[in-house]
Amino acid sequence: MKKLLFNGFLLSSFAALLVACSDETDAPADGEAQGNTNSSGDAISAIQDRGELILGAGDQLPGFGYVGSDGEFVGFDIEFGKVMAAAILGDAEKIEFRPLSAQERFTALQTGEVDILIRNTTWTLNRDVEIGLNFGPTTFYDGQGMMAPSDSGIESLEDLEGARIGVEQGTTTELNLADQMSKRGIDFETVTFSDQDSLIAAYESGTIDAWTTDQSALVSRMDTLQDPEGHVILNEVMSKEPLGPAVLDGDDQFYEVMYWATNATIQAEEFGITSENVDDFLDTEDPDIARFLGVEENLGEQLGLENDYAYQIIKQVGNYAEIYDRNLGADSPFNLDRGLNALYLDGGLLYSPPFR
Ligand SMILES: N[C@@H](CCC(=O)N[C@@H](CS)C(=O)NCC(=O)O)C(=O)O
């Protein structure tokens, strides 16, 4: 059922003309961009000298970023952090994780507390220009949805007249909600929370009537509710939420590594190269694949990396489909269809530029 709901969203989100996200509340104070490694232009050397990538991540969102029962950080976003560590350090495990709330995440990047942010973060103009981020390829095309108890009689946004609706501070969510409700002439009350766990606690206790965030997060948190079957995700999709990794402006090399390392997972899926079969391709006669894996030419060196960086990504972490299936798709509790997150060859939006 969840799978169908989500798929419905993915299709409808593409068809709808939706509001752009702007969240000025995320803007940092003047001067916060001082002293970070990224903007100095040598983040790659700093990470290599340190021997570890510092990853700003989420820890409250199953499927994307959370702490598993063994105390390890796991999830789709976490694995894209591993992609970066494999590319830069040749070892996907050399990561120090910094769990960040939505509100903390941009300051952490700007002050140099983290090298890269991979935390279900939406690419918006405001974050790109005003906050000074450089977004990598979108790893998950999402959209904002709404959850309410099934027995509440709430079946559409129109049924939320007078409702108290929970959102998390420092997200795109609050403005999207205000815009959509004002367009529909619906009066409601926004109740903000500093983190997702406190929002969920308020929702479960009935202090708020409904809550809203990215559809993927609604699906993921539904399973953690006391009665997962007792809630519905409404059909309306309120925004476009392209989620992906981000670094600070000012370091072209780091940006390019983030860009091509992420795309390497997508290109590997297109080539049919997986963590299981990548060694079989090392003596390939296909020049595109030989170049991609660093068997021929020097694409890795052009990025300032080892020439086998793409091989290391695929061998140690996997291609996009493997990462998706493990965390969100068929091999996960969420069983989400790929939808817009399929390769362009399969009707989705994932399309890597050529590795040449
Ligand atoms: N994609 C949106 C929303 C991201 C977000 O932080 N959503 C909340 C949903 S309540 C979340 O994932 N919280 C998890 C956490 O606090 O660890 C954005 O970039 O602003």
Side-chain angles (χ1 to χ4, degrees):
M1 175 184 168
K2 272 183 266 172
K3 183 171 159 181
L4 289 175
L5 272 174
F6 196 76
N7 212 18
F9 135 67
L10 289 167
L11 293 173
S12 60
S13 70
F14 199 48
L17 250 187
L18 297 159
V19 293
C21 308
S22 163
D23 45 334
E24 291 80 2
T25 51
D26 286 334
D30 284 349
E32 274 180 350
Q34 310 283 316
N36 57 74
T37 48
N38 296 6
S39 67
S40 62
D42 58 1
I44 299 287
S45 322
I47 293 163
Q48 287 172 340
D49 290 348
R50 193 195 299 131
E52 243 178 5
L53 175 81
I54 306 179
L55 171 65
D59 64 347
Q60 295 184 13
L61 193 57
F64 282 88
Y66 68 113
V67 183
S69 48
D70 54 2
E72 296 287 318
F73 278 83
V74 283
F76 182 79
D77 285 345
I78 303 297
E79 294 211 24
F80 277 99
K82 293 187 177 194
V83 164
M84 290 294 289
I88 298 169
L89 297 163
D91 186 340
E93 299 308 318
K94 291 200 170 152
I95 300 187
E96 186 182 323
F97 295 99
R98 292 278 166 82
L100 298 170
S101 71
Q103 194 136 17
E104 292 164 337
R105 62 187 151 170
F106 302 125
T107 308
L109 198 51
Q110 299 211 306
T111 55
E113 187 191 334
V114 300
D115 297 312
I116 184 164
L117 179 69
I118 314 185
R119 186 204 169 283
N120 53 308
T121 295
T122 306
W123 185 352
T124 70
L125 184 151
N126 171 262
R127 290 171 177 177
D128 201 336
V129 177
E130 192 73 15
I131 299 184
L133 306 188
N134 250 339
F135 281 86
T138 296
T139 49
F140 192 91
Y141 290 91
D142 211 332
Q144 186 172 329
M146 178 78 67
M147 185 188 292
S150 332
D151 62 5
S152 63
I154 299 169
E155 290 175 358
S156 74
L157 293 179
E158 272 66 26
D159 297 327
L160 287 163
E161 181 70 42
R164 286 164 58 79
I165 303 176
V167 300
E168 191 171 329
Q169 278 166 5
T171 61
T172 46
T173 312
E174 191 170 353
L175 186 60
N176 290 333
L177 175 67
D179 286 352
Q180 284 294 317
M181 298 301 250
S182 110
K183 281 202 239 179
R184 292 162 195 257
I186 304 166
D187 282 329
F188 71 103
E189 185 185 339
T190 302
V191 186
T192 54
F193 295 86
S194 60
D195 66 278
Q196 190 171 247
D197 285 348
S198 54
L199 189 163
I200 298 291
Y203 176 67
E204 296 254 60
S205 71
T207 313
I208 54 175
D209 303 302
W211 72 288
T212 176
T213 188
D214 301 339
Q215 284 253 358
S216 62
L218 293 178
V219 171
S220 128
R221 287 301 308 235
M222 200 178 227
D223 267 355
T224 70
L225 299 177
Q226 287 156 21
D227 173 19
E229 304 299 319
H231 306 269
V232 288
I233 297 174
L234 307 188
N235 285 330
E236 290 104 330
V237 179
M238 290 180 264
S239 68
K240 292 187 286 191
E241 306 289 327
L243 311 180
V247 295
L248 276 191
D249 278 345
D251 187 335
D252 286 351
Q253 187 199 2
F254 194 26
Y255 166 76
E256 284 159 2
V257 166
M258 171 180 69
Y259 183 82
W260 290 101
T262 306
N263 272 316
T265 67
I266 295 169
Q267 185 61 59
E269 181 181 354
E270 186 175 338
F271 281 143
I273 306 175
T274 68
S275 55
E276 295 293 316
N277 68 17
V278 63
D279 287 316
D280 301 339
F281 285 92
L282 289 175
D283 57 0
T284 179
E285 294 192 355
D286 181 328
D288 280 331
I289 296 181
R291 206 180 290 116
F292 175 70
L293 292 176
V295 178
E296 281 174 17
E297 302 188 20
N298 71 339
L299 294 183
E301 285 161 14
Q302 289 179 36
L303 282 168
L305 301 175
E306 296 293 329
N307 222 26
D308 69 347
Y309 78 98
Y311 168 85
Q312 296 299 342
I313 291 171
I314 308 313
K315 180 77 183 170
Q316 296 183 39
V317 190
N319 71 25
Y320 182 94
E322 292 178 276
I323 297 171
Y324 187 98
D325 288 348
R326 265 197 301 269
N327 294 289
L328 303 170
D331 305 331
S332 79
F334 311 111
N335 198 19
L336 297 182
D337 277 348
R338 290 281 291 271
L340 293 180
N341 298 298
L343 292 182
Y344 73 104
L345 295 170
D346 303 327
L349 296 179
L350 299 191
Y351 180 104
S352 169
F355 280 72
R356 56 187 316 131

